[in-house]
Amino acid sequence: MTNPQRDTRVIATYNIKGGVGKTSAAVNLAYLAAAAGHQTLLWDLDPQAASTYLFRVRPKVKGGGRGLLRKRNSARDHIKATDHERLDLLPADFSYRHLDLALDQFKKPAARLRKVLAPLRADYDYIFLDCPPSISLVSEAVFEASDALLVPVIPATLSSRAYEQLEELTRAGKVGRRSGTATFAFFSMADVSRPLHLQVMERLRGIDQLTVLGVAIPTADEVELMGEERNPVNVFAPASAAAVAYVALWTEIERRLRPSAPPAGS
Ligand SMILES: Nc1ncnc2c1ncn2[C@@H]1O[C@H](COP(=O)(O)OP(=O)(O)O)[C@@H](O)[C@H]1O
Ligand SMILES: [Mg+2]
């Protein structure tokens, strides 16, 4: 059902680096948002199509990424239902490896994703963008389209460096980020039994300009098992530490994005 009154939030899981937990976060958080009663869409923007796979959808974009970007309302025709209530998916396929080139053909490439998403705001409370690991025209368009960037950071020095780089680029105006986009980092694959991880977590939390969320996602077999189960952790191992952490992470994100909303379940 379409509701023009929706106050949609667009959330992108983003990091220049791959393998840091972007897709795992996008899949689990989108599932939790939908389970809490929100109409939710996940747009898989990565040609590797990992979140498409995890939600058991065929990685096929008819007419390719280029076709989808071109026509107004075309995105809606590509949306697939998932096995989960209120959760839809805009799948990726291999054509997305040329998404940069496709965007570049528009007069305002960085504004394009925002434009494509505009009509979908009437249908969804939350739209998640699962981004490819890069800093490119696609990322710029993602920054323009998003209300919040959610940046997983593995608490090891090189991985957290990528987050600091993003902040530096943003401050220097090199990343065309729309003002008002919040950036939240969270620790991913954290191991608090390792002194190095604790040190890095403490250091990043101490930097004023960075918003580091309080909840960290621990390293856990259940997250890796998502690839076998092809389901969010909260579906097949709801009592696991990872599932509990994703619930806490989602609660914290929602509280920050909607400070005046009543807490979930009330
Ligand atoms: N908290 C975690 N514990 C254990 N393995 C994880 C965790 N988060 C992600 N992984 C694994 O690490 C790999 C990369 O995660 P993924 O979410 O696909 O990262 P990205 O989207 O940033 O490339 C995957 O094999 C995934 O199962
Ligand atoms: Mg990914």
Side-chain angles (χ1 to χ4, degrees), residues 145-261:
S146 303
D147 298 298
L149 296 185
L150 193 55
V151 184
V153 176
I154 301 177
T157 26
L158 269 179
S159 171
S160 62
R161 178 87 196 104
Y163 181 61
E164 290 171 61
Q165 276 164 347
L166 172 67
E167 282 296 321
E168 281 163 23
L169 285 170
T170 309
R171 264 199 295 278
K174 297 219 170 69
V175 172
R177 195 194 298 177
R178 193 170 58 90
S179 62
T181 306
T183 305
F184 304 130
F186 70 95
F187 293 113
S188 174
M189 295 183 238
D191 186 349
V192 293
S193 70
R194 293 178 62 189
L196 173 68
H197 276 206
L198 281 177
Q199 270 171 31
V200 174
M201 287 166 80
E202 201 173 326
R203 182 168 61 80
L204 281 190
R205 287 208 165 107
I207 300 175
D208 281 349
Q209 301 91 326
L210 305 188
T211 305
V212 181
L213 301 180
V215 180
I217 306 297
T219 299
D221 288 347
E222 287 82 2
V223 181
E224 277 188 66
L225 276 173
M226 288 169 65
E228 298 286 322
E229 300 278 345
R230 296 181 78 181
N231 255 323
V233 179
N234 293 77
V235 168
F236 66 89
S240 65
V244 171
Y246 278 119
V247 170
L249 184 63
W250 176 240
T251 305
E252 186 174 2
I253 293 164
E254 211 180 18
R255 186 160 44 77
R256 285 176 183 267
L257 289 178
R258 301 187 196 276
S260 57

Side-chain angles (χ1 to χ4, degrees), residues 13-15 17-26 28 46 48 50-51 54 130-133 152 154 187-190 217-227 242 246:
T13 54
Y14 176 78
N15 194 309
K17 279 176 76 77
V20 296
K22 292 182 296 294
T23 294
S24 304
N28 286 303
D46 190 337
Q48 291 186 52
S51 47
L54 290 173
D130 186 19
C131 297
I154 301 177
F187 293 113
S188 174
M189 295 183 238
I217 306 297
T219 299
D221 288 347
E222 287 82 2
V223 181
E224 277 188 66
L225 276 173
M226 288 169 65
Y246 278 119

Side-chain angles (χ1 to χ4, degrees), residues 41-52 57-70 74-80 89-104 113 116-117 120 128-134 136-139 142:
L41 175 71
L42 193 162
W43 188 354
D44 187 354
L45 286 166
D46 190 337
Q48 291 186 52
S51 47
T52 303
V57 173
R58 205 159 68 96
K60 176 83 194 129
V61 183
K62 233 173 134 198
R66 182 166 301 185
L68 186 151
L69 291 175
R70 200 177 292 142
S74 156
R76 196 177 265 134
D77 300 336
H78 290 79
I79 290 173
K80 305 284 179 218
L89 183 89
L90 200 43
D93 73 5
F94 206 45
S95 71
Y96 275 22
R97 71 196 186 283
H98 298 311
L99 213 52
D100 263 341
L101 294 172
L103 280 171
D104 208 22
L113 289 188
V116 170
L117 285 174
L120 299 179
F128 287 84
L129 308 177
D130 186 19
C131 297
S134 61
S136 61
L137 203 46
V138 175
S139 346
V142 163

